[in-house]
Amino acid sequence: MIILKTPAEIEIMAEASRVVAEVLEIVRKEVRPGISTDDLDRLAEKEIRARGATPAFKGYRNYPKTLCASVNEQVVHGIPSGRKLKDGDIIGLDLGAIVGGFYGDSAVTVAVGPVPKKIAALVQVTEESLYLGIEQAVVGNRLTDISHAVQRHIESAGYAVVTEFVGHGIGRQLHEEPQVPNYGKPRQGPRLQSGMVLAIEPMVNMGGSAVRVLEDRWTAVTADGSWSAHFEHTIAIQPSGPARVLSRRVAGDI
Ligand code: MF3
Ligand code: CO
């Protein structure tokens, strides 16, 4: 069952998502060679709590940290550690917060110093695919119109969509129905309705689409070692017109 949110609930979700957006912006500015992913995690937790919010991922199915920090061939769910970032790395930063019992969820991928053009293009195409998906999140469309738009952009650029992880409905739970795949035929699945709130999150690999999970039981990496990028926004479908991007960042968004 897809739980529709009232306008008042969407305002609370906007608040949770705004906390996520602000903190992601703070954390991304600290990304530089020599900083550890644990440093970024501590900063994220401090800034979430300073806003009166609660980290959403810490303790979720025993996930140990506030931030997911996924470097290079890591696709999603990288656990922060003492690993220090180096020039030429890319890092996915995925963050969730709870305000008033509602979740916000968003992710960005950032380059650490200069990266080769092909890597920069991977990151850019992934972010563009998210926005093309969001454009389809309007009343009158169906769920997989989002999925199809994301997939088309990624594959026409020659990259591979990760199929083992998907976006999701979000609300009083981090993961609600429906699942939001980043691939599929258009015009399938539920009709999009005002009050649906979705986390859309394309994960895109340079090489093949296959992923595997490391011994830590969280970190997803590409099977072929190729690099991967991830972006995510929490969006609310409006009675008419474009979706409201609840986790839009003040600066640094497309
Ligand atoms: N954005 C991710 C998701 O929706 C982050 C979850 S990490 C977890 O699945 F630790 F909370 F699982
Ligand atoms: Co998510």
Side-chain angles (χ1 to χ4, degrees):
M1 187 195 49
I2 299 174
I3 302 167
L4 300 181
K5 279 77 188 179
T6 66
E9 289 172 334
I10 288 175
E11 290 313 314
I12 302 170
M13 295 196 71
E15 187 57 35
S17 300
R18 191 171 65 84
V19 168
V20 172
E22 283 180 9
V23 175
L24 267 184
E25 200 51 38
I26 291 169
V27 172
R28 81 182 295 173
K29 286 192 182 128
E30 291 306 312
V31 168
R32 59 176 67 107
I35 197 162
S36 75
T37 53
D38 259 341
D39 294 333
L40 299 175
D41 178 71
R42 276 189 291 271
L43 176 63
E45 179 163 4
K46 180 181 78 146
E47 294 292 341
I48 284 181
R49 296 201 191 278
R51 287 163 175 75
T54 306
F57 301 164
K58 201 172 196 175
Y60 178 85
R61 293 156 150 255
N62 292 321
Y63 186 75
K65 304 275 173 150
T66 292
L67 187 68
C68 295
S70 308
V71 182
N72 301 345
E73 79 288 353
Q74 298 176 352
V75 178
V76 285
H77 305 164
I79 304 175
S81 69
R83 177 178 183 164
K84 289 190 166 132
L85 298 178
K86 299 197 310 275
D87 253 327
D89 285 342
I90 58 172
I91 179 171
L93 304 167
D94 189 350
L95 194 65
I98 309 170
V99 171
F102 284 92
Y103 284 79
D105 188 6
S106 184
V108 293
T109 298
V110 193
V112 185
V115 295
K117 274 204 190 72
K118 288 181 77 169
I119 300 293
L122 169 76
V123 173
Q124 189 182 329
V125 165
T126 306
E127 186 168 25
E128 287 167 357
S129 75
L130 170 59
Y131 278 89
L132 289 168
I134 292 171
E135 264 178 34
Q136 296 300 315
V138 295
V139 169
N141 275 354
R142 296 172 74 144
L143 184 74
T144 67
D145 291 321
I146 299 171
S147 313
H148 183 72
V150 170
Q151 178 179 31
R152 209 173 53 159
H153 190 61
I154 292 166
E155 292 183 350
S156 66
Y159 303 121
V161 173
V162 173
T163 58
E164 283 184 45
F165 299 96
V166 295
H168 49 96
I170 180 168
R172 289 187 188 275
Q173 312 258 20
L174 177 59
H175 297 132
E176 294 183 356
E177 288 181 28
Q179 293 196 359
V180 185
N182 295 302
Y183 57 92
K185 284 193 291 187
R187 311 298 308 162
Q188 314 285 306
R191 291 176 196 285
L192 299 178
Q193 288 178 60
S194 173
M196 283 185 184
V197 184
L198 304 175
I200 305 175
E201 49 179 321
M203 290 146 267
V204 180
N205 298 349
M206 284 282 293
S209 70
V211 301
R212 65 188 177 88
V213 176
L214 297 185
E215 289 282 271
D216 65 18
R217 303 178 75 207
W218 279 104
T219 313
V221 299
T222 60
D224 60 9
S226 69
W227 287 18
S228 187
H230 175 216
F231 282 83
E232 177 175 18
H233 270 311
T234 296
I235 63 112
I237 294 171
Q238 301 295 104
S240 64
R244 177 172 169 197
V245 182
L246 303 182
S247 54
R248 176 160 265 142
R249 296 179 301 285
V250 185
D253 249 308
I254 270 183

